[in-house]
Amino acid sequence: MRQSTLFGRTLREAPAEAQTSGHRLMLRAAIARPLAAGLYTWLPLGFRVAKKVEQIIREEQDRIGAQEMEMPVLTPAEVWKQTGRWDALEPITFRTIDHNGREFMVSYTHEEFVHLHAKQELQSYRQLPQIVYHFQSKGRDEARPRAGLLRVREFVMKDAYSFDADQAGLEKSYAAEHGAYERTFARMGLDAISVESDTGAMGGDVAHEFQVLTEAGEDRIAICPNCDYKANLEKASRSIDTYIVAGSELPPPSEIATPSTTTIEALEASLKQPATAFLKTLLLREAKGTLVAVVLPGDRDINEAKLRKVLGTTEVKFANEGDFAAAGSVPGFSGPIGLKVRTLIDRSVDARPYIAGANKRDAHLRNVVSGRDFQGEQVDAHDVREGDLCPRCTVGKLTIKRGVEVGNIFAYGTYYSDKMNATFVGEDGTAKPFFGGSYGIGVGRSVQTIIETHHDDKGIVWPPQVAPFQVHLIALPVNDEDVRSKAEKLVDELERARVEVLYDDRDESPGVKFADADLIGIPLRVTVSARNLKQGQVEIKSRSAAAMEMVPLAFAAEKIAGIVRSWPR
RNA sequence: CGGGGUGUAGCGCAGCUUGGUAGCGCGUUUGGUUCGGGACCAAAAGGUCGCCGGUUCAAGUCCGGCCACCCCGACCA
């Protein structure tokens, strides 16, 4: 490929909106271009990377016996209505109607449709297990697209779906996909870790996310340095020492005046007590408008994802002024005693005396003890933080890192087959529901995550397996006939040896060419220059190392092809 | 959807406070010189100042509305 004819130019400066280093490099190196918020076009260089990433995913899916197929982007409403997701997904999906007024959704994902097909194609337990997958554009009207390709509104996802006769079979399929994911990400050069995750909108119980730790990520991951516990903060828990004080020996709650002291910070300052001495009582409103109170220690924050899961709701908001009166409380002075709403007590609240709001203006109560003075459902709804004890080994102190979720796997069991009446005939001759799982990988997100984690201050440093080209051959200067003819002969020899070469034949200064080579980040740089040809040599340099090597022109093609063949595939 | 910010040439920005000729750098085009780390000289092209309305003799600048994009938060591959 001649660089002079490449569609897509490198940018010396990145557009101001690009924030993360991966986003800036993606734009500068002509990998992709924005079309609208959260919608991107792959330029030829980026598309070559995307295709290589896809191919790695494909090979690893095929290796575990999954079969590739393809389902449409446009999906009919009736099927979504069977599982209730037509309404549930309303806020974040793109929809349209055809000329007859029939409703369609730009596919958010394809569980409903693959179950429809499974029902038609898989009629007997003898045909199980099965895994099918496809690469398809998925549409998600994200409220906030972010950081280039990391969070977009239309993206190609590899989505695989497993069908098994029972739970044990599902666990096997799940484990097979888990293994395939580990190999897939390793081959792309991504150091992805498997973490426990919340099942979110997909339903089901068991789920793992594959997270690549990088500051550009938007998820927070708790990691135990002592054992193998790793979990998304939406799911993470912690070990808590039980702290019991005999209730009968303690004085009953007594009121203290706390004029205009409405926050934990203000209470700490005026009462000279640490945040842990207080109880925080949050009054919240769930999707249906029901009020609920959550009691937490003063130093703990609520984790909305965990709370939503506990409540089985899609949305949680803070209560408004009027809600406080209805709950028998006062904003700024809410406490757990005497509340007239459902009360949840976070498990990090100890059985010891706390200072809590009195539910009346300018007053708090001292010696408030959970279980003695107020009752509620015990839940886990607090945000785990740095330094908390690992819930698994109970001794490791959790660290918290940011990560990008490049893939996830769910075992949802019969969630969809029950709703859709998707069954097969079992060994005993009766209809049984499929046990299913789904397994996604975002292609574009993976590509940008590779950039986020493989670059230096000059540009991208592609892992060879996914690089847009294997060799970047630079002719210097290109208008020197001898240089040009020898460079082109070398390009030709390399291409015949099936090496992918980007040939920089542009009439540009050496500085521009080297800077672009560093920016684009092709693993091997070969320079054919007038200077080196005097000694009959060409220069070979790896993008990832400083050293360069001189090779006689006559052996260059063989040498370069040998290096390329030695790379992992 | 809540909070914040930005829209001026392909990209990066100044000009707006205090209304009066739309500017700088990079890039692009032409000619010449140069050629191992983002060269130099000369000439040139390129703008409905996000959109609509208002105020004014006069609006990039002031006022109102809308739109787009970015960042933080809630959601996902």
Side-chain angles (χ1 to χ4, degrees):
Chain A
M1 172 82 209
R2 286 171 182 266
Q3 199 168 343
S4 62
T5 63
L6 184 67
F7 185 85
R9 64 193 195 91
T10 56
L11 308 177
R12 191 173 294 202
E13 292 172 287
E17 70 264 17
Q19 299 293 320
T20 70
S21 50
H23 187 189
R24 277 194 295 271
L25 289 172
M26 178 270 276
L27 294 170
R28 288 224 291 134
I31 298 300
R33 294 281 179 249
L35 207 52
L39 299 173
Y40 277 82
T41 294
W42 287 119
L43 292 178
L45 279 180
F47 195 49
R48 291 180 70 97
V49 177
K51 283 190 289 187
K52 289 188 178 182
V53 164
E54 268 191 32
Q55 186 56 26
I56 289 170
I57 297 169
R58 181 174 286 121
E59 287 171 15
E60 293 303 329
Q61 289 297 305
D62 290 349
R63 191 200 297 273
I64 59 167
Q67 297 172 47
E68 188 169 6
M69 59 190 281
E70 188 179 280
M71 289 177 276
V73 172
L74 235 41
T75 54
E78 309 85 72
V79 187
W80 288 107
K81 286 176 180 168
Q82 286 182 38
T83 59
R85 293 212 291 176
W86 181 258
D87 293 328
L89 296 176
E90 203 282 324
I92 50 168
T93 47
F94 295 106
R95 291 159 187 225
T96 188
I97 52 169
D98 70 9
H99 286 174
N100 294 316
R102 286 190 213 102
E103 299 173 293
F104 292 86
M105 186 194 292
V106 174
S107 65
Y108 175 90
T109 176
H110 287 81
E111 277 82 8
E112 277 80 354
F113 304 93
V114 79
H115 275 76
L116 199 68
H117 288 121
K119 200 165 148 176
Q120 294 163 335
E121 310 302 328
L122 305 175
Q123 304 191 326
S124 156
Y125 75 95
R126 292 166 184 270
Q127 293 170 277
L128 299 178
Q130 281 278 3
I131 303 179
V132 291
Y133 71 98
H134 73 341
F135 288 92
Q136 185 56 280
S137 291
K138 311 269 172 165
R140 298 186 184 181
D141 190 8
E142 297 286 351
R144 185 158 106 75
R146 222 194 122 249
L149 299 170
L150 284 188
R151 182 179 201 74
V152 294
R153 298 195 296 170
E154 181 192 317
F155 60 97
V156 171
M157 177 160 85
K158 183 285 297 177
D159 221 355
Y161 305 93
S162 67
F163 294 93
D164 277 278
D166 52 29
Q167 183 63 30
L170 170 56
E171 283 167 19
K172 268 191 198 166
S173 295
Y174 190 87
E177 284 286 355
H178 196 283
Y181 272 43
E182 288 176 334
R183 287 188 295 274
T184 299
F185 292 121
R187 282 184 61 189
M188 307 178 180
L190 284 178
D191 191 8
I193 58 171
S194 155
V195 311
E196 292 177 25
S197 73
D198 179 35
T199 49
M202 315 294 287
D205 325 303
V206 186
H208 286 85
E209 290 168 349
F210 284 77
Q211 291 276 355
V212 176
L213 301 181
T214 157
E215 278 305 302
E218 49 190 341
D219 288 326
R220 288 136 70 220
I221 315 298
I223 299 167
C224 177
N226 184 58
C227 71
D228 63 352
Y229 183 77
K230 300 181 189 77
N232 193 308
L233 250 52
E234 292 174 356
K235 157 112 183 187
S237 185
R238 66 181 179 118
S239 170
I240 297 172
D241 291 330
T242 47
Y243 187 117
I244 298 171
V245 176
S248 56
E249 297 165 12
L250 292 165
S254 58
E255 193 172 312
I256 42 178
T258 51
S260 306
T261 315
T262 58
T263 64
I264 298 290
E265 291 74 30
L267 287 166
E268 286 180 66
S270 72
L271 299 180
K272 307 276 185 284
Q273 297 271 344
T276 51
F278 302 94
L279 283 181
K280 185 191 281 185
T281 305
L282 301 174
L283 190 60
L284 302 160
R285 193 177 241 277
E286 58 154 312
K288 284 167 248 145
T290 320
L291 293 177
V292 57
V294 182
V295 184
L296 294 151
D299 63 322
R300 285 283 164 181
D301 293 324
I302 190 98
N303 182 295
E304 265 195 59
K306 286 164 75 171
L307 181 63
R308 272 197 304 273
K309 182 91 173 170
V310 165
L311 294 172
T313 186
T314 54
E315 191 182 19
V316 178
K317 282 187 192 165
F318 285 108
N320 56 42
E321 293 273 324
D323 293 334
F324 279 87
S329 186
V330 179
F333 300 93
S334 56
I337 301 182
L339 280 180
K340 291 182 280 185
V341 296
R342 180 178 174 191
T343 302
L344 308 180
I345 304 171
D346 186 75
R347 59 187 285 268
S348 51
V349 173
D350 290 325
R352 63 174 167 91
Y354 284 97
I355 299 168
N359 291 324
K360 63 189 231 190
R361 182 162 281 287
D362 297 336
H364 279 74
L365 298 172
R366 194 188 285 291
N367 295 318
V368 171
V369 180
S370 174
R372 184 191 71 174
D373 301 319
F374 65 96
Q375 313 294 325
E377 302 157 53
Q378 290 282 325
V379 299
D380 184 343
H382 65 281
D383 216 20
V384 166
R385 67 186 173 212
E386 190 96 11
D388 281 344
L389 292 179
C390 172
R392 184 164 297 159
C393 69
T394 73
V395 294
K397 288 189 173 174
L398 298 173
T399 58
I400 292 174
K401 295 241 157 63
R402 293 182 74 92
V404 177
E405 181 189 0
V406 287
N408 68 16
I409 58 179
F410 290 99
Y412 47 69
T414 61
Y415 185 87
Y416 292 98
S417 38
D418 287 343
K419 288 184 156 71
M420 297 190 58
N421 197 27
T423 60
F424 60 93
V425 177
E427 211 166 347
D428 62 0
T430 66
K432 311 273 191 198
F434 293 110
F435 281 70
S438 66
Y439 315 90
I441 297 178
V443 174
R445 182 179 281 186
S446 294
V447 171
Q448 194 176 319
T449 304
I450 293 169
I451 302 174
E452 296 287 356
T453 53
H454 295 78
H455 67 268
D456 59 21
D457 56 342
K458 294 196 175 88
I460 305 171
V461 184
W462 290 110
Q465 313 88 283
V466 298
F469 289 90
Q470 295 166 322
V471 169
H472 201 162
L473 193 144
I474 295 176
L476 219 58
V478 77
N479 53 16
D480 178 320
E481 270 315 308
D482 186 48
V483 169
R484 178 191 280 273
S485 65
K486 283 176 172 147
E488 288 180 3
K489 181 160 175 283
L490 183 53
V491 170
D492 194 50
E493 284 169 359
L494 287 170
E495 286 182 341
R496 269 186 283 144
R498 297 183 186 281
V499 174
E500 299 164 8
V501 185
L502 180 63
Y503 168 40
D504 190 349
D505 61 333
R506 298 173 305 163
D507 185 13
E508 290 286 354
S509 72
V512 169
K513 292 186 166 198
F514 288 132
D516 272 349
D518 288 338
L519 174 60
I520 295 170
I522 292 168
L524 210 57
R525 188 184 82 190
V526 176
T527 309
V528 176
S529 68
R531 196 178 80 181
N532 294 334
L533 283 177
K534 283 180 196 154
Q535 279 81 46
Q537 294 191 308
V538 300
E539 174 201 299
I540 300 176
K541 182 186 172 297
S542 161
R543 177 65 181 83
S544 58
M548 42 186 86
E549 185 183 354
M550 303 304 289
V551 179
L553 177 62
F555 307 121
E558 193 185 331
K559 171 81 181 173
I560 295 162
I563 293 171
V564 169
R565 275 195 298 272
S566 75
W567 289 338
R569 299 223 148 243

